[in-house]
Amino acid sequence: MAFLRGKKILILGVASKLSIATGIARAMHREGAELAFTYQNERLGKRVEDIAGECGSDLLFPCDVTNDGEIGQLFQDLANSWDGLDGLVHCLAYAPAGELDGDYVDVTTREGFLTAHEISSYSFVALARAAKPLMEGRNGSLLTLSYLGAMRSLPNYNVMGLAKASLEANVRYMASSLGPEGTRVNAISAGPVRTLAASGVKSFRKMLDYNARNTPLRRNVTTDEIGNAAAFLCSDLATGICGEVLYVDGGFNTTAMGSLPQ
Ligand code: 0WE
């Protein structure tokens, strides 16, 4: 098919082979996109290098999104290799571990709240602003990853739910801002996936099991499936889709009671 042939796409958030960003990179590579990647620090750089290599890319840039200088440098560096940018995929989220374990009202701190919102939501618009000169006039597309915890409460997701709610509103405001110049902004709200980030979450196995048992498709989604939806949204097959949050969750969000107990 190669429906991304000729598209230049930057992917942020590859941390391991299990990352959702890795599933997205593989699907986009398969569909003919040219890819570039960022890594947060030298420790993660090696793993990102391997995955970039698999996807035929040697374009790797450091970027810690809490640092305005690094965001600026990223697009300066990218402009030295590419004359423009067609897509940016934001797969970044973080809340301090203490925020994701325990009762919401009891464990949420001012500092944890600010960090979660800065890294998980603010960074998307900060990157969009810095990417704007490279994306102008190319009918490009920005994509981020959300989770149902933005819309519904669940145990332990806590302040990340607020940060994802902010991120989804960010998608709509960014879509309104960038739409007039032809750039589309969307999110995928993915079902839970066992990644490196998730392995730091207590009882994640139990949550995955609950999710599979209560999903219309009776299973969890794969990073391949999320990757395919991401490739579609960043392609010219999706030129009418803007400001949207697309659920790739096997239908979990559509039920009030997925199954009866046992
Ligand atoms: O958005 C996420 C997780 C993002 C995340 C994960 C971590 C773990 C390590 C953000 N910050 C951190 N900080 C760490 O220190 N998901 C959708 C996966 C996830 O995480 C949960 C979930 C689900 C689902 C945490 C609690 C409850 C459910």
Side-chain angles (χ1 to χ4, degrees):
M1 281 179 283
F3 56 72
L4 288 173
R5 194 177 8 228
K7 300 267 191 217
K8 295 181 166 69
I9 300 178
L10 174 67
I11 301 183
L12 302 94
V14 171
S16 82
K17 283 188 296 191
L18 300 178
S19 294
I20 295 176
T22 302
I24 293 175
R26 287 178 172 150
M28 289 183 162
H29 173 59
R30 184 196 71 217
E31 296 304 333
E34 280 181 67
L35 300 177
F37 296 84
T38 68
Y39 56 93
Q40 190 190 342
N41 54 48
E42 295 307 324
R43 187 170 51 81
L44 291 166
K46 180 70 185 80
R47 267 188 281 197
V48 181
E49 197 177 318
D50 292 345
I51 289 150
E54 262 182 58
C55 295
S57 168
D58 59 0
L59 295 179
L60 287 182
F61 307 101
C63 186
D64 172 349
V65 293
T66 63
N67 186 321
D68 290 335
E70 288 191 28
I71 292 177
Q73 190 63 49
L74 164 62
F75 292 98
Q76 256 181 263
D77 291 348
L78 198 59
N80 287 329
S81 300
W82 285 351
D83 54 0
L85 181 67
D86 303 295
L88 183 153
V89 185
H90 174 269
C91 311
L92 309 172
Y94 177 76
E99 303 284 324
L100 301 177
D101 182 12
D103 180 89
Y104 172 64
V105 172
D106 294 339
V107 304
T108 305
T109 67
R110 186 188 304 274
E111 172 136 342
F113 184 107
L114 290 171
T115 299
H117 283 74
E118 179 185 14
I119 297 185
S120 312
S121 180
Y122 174 73
S123 66
F124 192 38
V125 66
L127 288 161
R129 184 168 46 252
K132 207 166 148 177
L134 273 174
M135 295 192 77
E136 229 133 48
R138 300 175 68 102
N139 294 332
S141 148
L142 304 171
L143 181 68
T144 188
L145 287 175
S146 191
Y147 177 60
L148 184 59
M151 305 298 290
R152 318 264 180 82
S153 65
L154 69 149
N156 299 320
Y157 199 61
N158 296 351
V159 77
M160 270 310 302
L162 285 73
K164 290 300 195 188
S166 164
L167 179 66
E168 291 184 10
N170 210 346
V171 165
R172 292 183 285 272
Y173 277 86
M174 287 166 62
S176 277
S177 170
L178 298 170
E181 56 159 87
T183 303
R184 299 179 296 106
V185 187
N186 293 293
I188 286 174
S189 184
V193 175
R194 194 173 52 82
T195 63
L196 211 56
S199 69
V201 174
K202 225 171 64 185
S203 316
F204 198 76
R205 267 286 303 277
K206 274 190 194 165
M207 274 187 299
L208 281 178
D209 290 350
Y210 175 91
N211 207 81
R213 269 186 286 111
N214 291 287
T215 291
L217 292 180
R218 291 293 187 276
R219 62 174 179 81
N220 291 311
V221 295
T222 65
T223 56
D224 282 12
E225 291 174 316
I226 300 165
N228 286 337
F232 161 70
L233 284 174
C234 289
S235 79
D236 293 341
L237 296 172
T239 50
I241 303 177
C242 184
E244 181 71 319
V245 179
L246 176 65
Y247 283 86
V248 180
D249 70 345
F252 184 89
N253 79 94
T254 65
T255 70
M257 195 178 300
S259 70
L260 288 169
Q262 79 227 357

